[in-house]
Amino acid sequence: MILWDGSRHEWLEERGPRLCLMGAIDDASGELLPGAHFVDQECAAGYLRVLKAIALEKGLPLSAYMDRHGSLKRNDDHWTLEEELRGVQDPTQVGRALQALEIEVIFALSPQAKGRVERLWGTLQDRLVSELRLAGATTMEQANAVLLAFRPEFNRRFAISPADSTPAWRPLRRGTDLARLCSFQYPATVLPDNTVRLAGMVIDIAPGPRKRSYAGARVDLHQFLDGSWRVYLGAELIATQEPTTTSELRTIKRRRRRPPSAAWNAHRRKIRSSIEHHPEP
């Protein structure tokens, strides 16, 4: 199991901006895991970067323990019709990646429940702040360079041998497209001019085989962690675009709908029960 979180703190003291350290620890050993890095604010992109780095270097954990930050758990009242019919909201971008990688999600019910990772932040706010001061770091880029060199020494001093030495990390399945899974995904429909549009951005799609038009097709639009874009029709990559910012699109909300009422939930259960007891021949 991993425990992950973000810690916003005066890591650079008065020399630079207030930053958020995002990272994860191994519950068995207390090791500060790969992917720890500084960002401006706790965010989905930060969690996805940590997840990708852990998966590449260590493998996949069985579970992830976390708080209810909006990047990790849907806390909004935006419901699509499909969500209303299912009675549950779609996961966040991070939740979708965890689900695809078959990592169990465990939400902390109180701040006290995150005690171990909070103690890690306390230790780092002492020792890492000192290292940053000694290095004269004044920017996020410099802080990340110091952190990269600091992590192995920190683990050498503070990580412990787990009670059970049998590794529990799961290897990535052959053919797993980790970069695609750890990206921002948006469903879209190809327009008559063979483009997809999102938040004012337009991506042109070249004609397919035999000058095939993709107009009307439902596609998945992905923004990768480097800011680049890819459009997939199923498993087929049909368009790419150069990087743009990753700081805005992840906050795009669905059209606001009120949560399903008790009457609607009762009606939905009645329909489901009817289908289950009277299946199609």
Side-chain angles (χ1 to χ4, degrees):
M1 180 172 71
I2 66 170
L3 301 89
W4 62 357
D5 196 12
S7 175
R8 188 159 170 78
H9 181 67
E10 297 288 352
W11 294 99
L12 299 177
E13 298 170 301
E14 296 181 354
R15 301 183 310 280
R18 186 178 176 90
L19 300 174
C20 179
L21 174 58
M22 303 198 65
I25 62 171
D26 184 339
D27 183 58
S29 67
E31 174 189 356
L32 179 59
L33 293 168
H37 67 289
F38 289 104
V39 291
D40 293 323
Q41 299 280 351
E42 185 175 356
C43 61
Y47 281 111
L48 289 172
R49 287 192 179 95
V50 172
L51 177 60
K52 183 180 177 183
I54 292 173
L56 286 173
E57 187 170 325
K58 304 285 289 188
L60 300 176
L62 296 174
S63 58
Y65 192 82
M66 64 197 77
D67 63 19
R68 295 170 177 254
H69 187 271
S71 297
L72 303 171
K73 186 179 189 302
R74 290 279 300 277
N75 300 312
D76 59 77
D77 58 359
H78 298 266
W79 290 74
T80 65
L81 179 59
E82 292 78 10
E83 288 172 335
E84 289 183 4
L85 289 170
R86 292 196 311 268
V88 63
Q89 291 175 307
D90 290 333
T92 64
Q93 299 284 358
V94 180
R96 175 189 49 77
L98 292 170
Q99 192 176 83
L101 293 169
E102 299 178 350
I103 298 172
E104 180 186 3
V105 172
I106 304 173
F107 289 111
L109 298 178
S110 68
Q112 293 77 17
K114 297 194 305 169
R116 187 164 187 183
V117 72
E118 293 293 347
R119 287 192 294 274
L120 167 69
W121 296 142
T123 302
L124 290 173
Q125 287 168 9
D126 175 22
R127 297 177 179 273
L128 181 53
V129 165
S130 297
E131 292 294 325
L132 292 166
R133 184 188 311 122
L134 288 171
T138 60
T139 66
M140 183 166 61
E141 292 74 18
Q142 292 172 350
N144 277 319
V146 172
L147 175 59
L148 188 64
F150 172 81
R151 190 177 73 85
E153 176 62 17
F154 178 85
N155 286 334
R156 186 186 69 78
R157 295 189 62 183
F158 293 101
I160 62 173
S161 298
D164 185 348
S165 60
T166 304
W169 297 98
R170 296 176 294 127
L172 279 171
R173 291 179 180 174
R174 182 175 299 178
T176 298
D177 189 343
L178 188 62
R180 181 178 176 183
L181 290 178
C182 293
S183 68
F184 294 98
Q185 176 179 327
Y186 308 94
T189 300
V190 181
L191 300 175
D193 60 355
N194 236 32
T195 65
V196 289
R197 304 186 181 210
L198 181 67
M201 182 193 63
V202 180
I203 298 179
D204 292 307
I205 302 176
R210 299 181 181 178
K211 298 185 178 181
R212 167 192 177 189
S213 171
Y214 292 99
R218 292 290 292 170
V219 296
D220 290 321
L221 181 59
H222 288 256
Q223 187 176 30
F224 282 45
L225 293 177
D226 64 358
S228 64
W229 292 88
R230 298 186 186 183
V231 182
Y232 292 89
L233 179 62
E236 180 187 3
L237 176 64
I238 60 174
T240 62
Q241 184 153 302
E242 292 301 307
T244 59
T245 180
T246 57
S247 63
E248 294 297 332
L249 286 176
R250 65 175 179 271
T251 64
I252 288 178
K253 300 293 186 182
R254 299 169 177 83
R255 182 169 62 89
R256 184 181 294 272
R257 298 173 65 92
R258 285 185 293 181
S261 65
W264 172 254
N265 284 331
H267 181 64
R268 186 183 67 247
R269 288 194 296 269
K270 182 177 180 181
I271 293 174
R272 283 182 176 173
S273 177
S274 176
I275 294 174
E276 291 170 358
H277 289 86
H278 301 87
E280 294 183 2

